[in-house]
Amino acid sequence: MAGALEIVDEYNVTSAVSSVILGGGSSGSSGLNVSIDSTYDTYFVTGSGIVHSSGGSGQGTYLRWTVSGSEDTTSNKKQWAQRAMYSDTSNETRFYTSNYTELTLQDGGAEAPGENTCFYLYLNLFADSTRGSALTVHSVFDQFDGARVHSRLGGALDVTAQACDGIKIFGHSTTTFNAGTFRLFGLAN
């Protein structure tokens, strides 16, 4: 049915992992050998109930594009802008146009019961090898010890003309995901 979301890939964290790859072919976390391709024009991603092994400021959640199953760490090709809204401090508008290899989905990490990070993304032009790919993001992180909620709205662009077959979601180098559900949907044409 046109306009319906169809589940393409899913990974449910049941034990600590340092990252999750949705799509990415044989590199994907689910083992389903799924790739983002031209089957769908737009893909939709959800991450919910994400709990880090350690939390707080600096224990963020990040995203990288994957190309042929490998994460793309090319800098100077990713551009993003976000409005970061905080319940415990001033809001910020952020623009990044160079020297970044990843997109920050959220700059804090939930670790205690009842805390979590969640997000949703729209992925566009990922399978098109003739131009760059784009995504929009909305993420929320709630942390009860400081009674704070952080939210981000924005978008990102990889200006490299290449087909991207998935995304890698990961935490800070010193943390793992102890829980969370990650899903990749295709928007039926």
Side-chain angles (χ1 to χ4, degrees):
M1 180 170 82
L5 290 174
E6 298 173 353
I7 188 85
V8 175
D9 199 5
E10 179 175 18
Y11 188 76
N12 189 26
V13 176
T14 57
S15 60
V17 295
S18 60
S19 65
V20 172
I21 295 178
L22 293 173
S26 61
S27 298
S29 297
S30 69
L32 296 176
N33 200 17
V34 173
S35 292
I36 292 175
D37 59 23
S38 60
T39 303
Y40 304 98
D41 293 331
T42 299
Y43 286 83
F44 181 70
V45 176
T46 62
S48 60
I50 302 165
V51 178
H52 295 80
S53 59
S54 58
S57 181
Q59 300 300 321
T61 305
Y62 307 94
L63 176 144
R64 285 195 179 124
W65 287 249
T66 65
V67 177
S68 299
S70 298
E71 62 185 301
D72 179 7
T73 58
T74 308
S75 61
N76 297 323
K77 298 294 183 179
K78 313 307 186 272
Q79 300 176 5
W80 52 286
Q82 293 181 338
R83 178 71 175 164
M85 296 163 284
Y86 304 111
S87 65
D88 60 339
T89 188
S90 299
N91 296 336
E92 300 175 0
T93 301
R94 299 175 177 179
F95 300 96
Y96 300 93
T97 58
S98 65
N99 297 323
Y100 283 88
T101 62
E102 71 270 343
L103 168 70
T104 302
L105 295 176
Q106 199 50 255
D107 57 2
E111 65 175 325
E115 299 178 348
N116 76 84
T117 297
C118 59
F119 62 83
Y120 65 84
L121 313 165
Y122 287 95
L123 312 178
N124 296 290
L125 304 171
F126 266 58
D128 189 341
S129 63
T130 65
R131 52 189 168 169
S133 54
L135 63 86
T136 57
V137 61
H138 180 208
S139 67
V140 176
F141 157 59
D142 60 50
Q143 186 172 27
F144 293 122
D145 67 350
R148 59 184 174 175
V149 175
H150 295 182
S151 180
R152 287 176 178 247
L153 296 170
L157 174 68
D158 181 353
V159 298
T160 308
Q162 64 185 4
C164 299
D165 64 352
I167 57 170
K168 177 180 179 179
I169 303 156
F170 60 100
H172 187 270
S173 62
T174 61
T175 192
T176 59
F177 297 132
N178 288 346
T181 300
F182 301 84
R183 293 185 176 107
L184 174 67
F185 298 87
L187 181 61
N189 298 328

